[in-house]
Amino acid sequence: MDIRGRKGLCKYNDRFTCKANKVLVDGEVVCSTYERDMEKEEVQDVTKNLFTQEPQYAPQRDSKTLEIKCRANCLFNHNGICVSNGITLNSIKEKPYCVSYLKK
């Protein structure tokens, strides 16, 4: 499973790859695991040079080492466990919404 986080200021974000031990998407489709890293001051703006410079990505993680729980009314929520092929969290809004969400 591909676990991508676009919240560059998150404590667990390493070049757009989530490094948290577990992820919980709550009933409002927000990642409850998100923690703001006060030491990170700048976020890599990948849209600025999207067609001229490749963004730096960390290697994909093996989802077998990651616990992914879900409380959202989502098509991929199977008894509280996410069964999606991948999860991506947004970067645009203030809260870290799961953009892989599909309403059941």
Side-chain angles (χ1 to χ4, degrees):
M1 179 186 285
D2 188 20
I3 314 297
R4 294 290 173 193
R6 295 181 185 162
K7 283 292 195 192
L9 297 177
C10 180
K11 172 181 174 178
Y12 303 110
N13 189 317
D14 176 18
R15 295 169 287 153
F16 304 104
T17 298
C18 180
K19 298 294 184 176
N21 292 330
K22 58 184 175 180
V23 172
L24 170 63
V25 176
D26 67 20
E28 295 183 10
V29 196
V30 174
C31 178
S32 298
T33 311
Y34 171 80
E35 286 185 47
R36 168 77 158 83
D37 186 343
M38 299 311 280
E39 293 182 16
K40 291 182 180 179
E41 296 177 17
E42 200 173 303
V43 178
Q44 181 185 2
D45 184 2
V46 295
T47 60
K48 187 176 180 181
N49 301 312
L50 186 62
F51 299 106
T52 59
Q53 184 178 2
E54 183 179 346
Q56 301 252 333
Y57 294 105
Q60 181 177 326
R61 289 185 62 193
D62 184 354
S63 62
K64 293 176 185 174
T65 62
L66 179 63
E67 181 181 5
I68 305 170
K69 294 194 174 185
C70 182
R71 294 186 182 146
N73 185 24
C74 180
L75 182 65
F76 302 116
N77 181 348
H78 182 68
N79 296 324
I81 305 294
C82 179
V83 295
S84 173
N85 287 335
I87 294 178
T88 301
L89 300 176
N90 75 333
S91 62
I92 300 170
K93 297 185 180 189
E94 190 172 309
K95 293 182 179 181
Y97 287 96
C98 176
V99 295
S100 306
Y101 166 78
L102 288 174
K103 188 175 180 178
K104 205 180 242 185

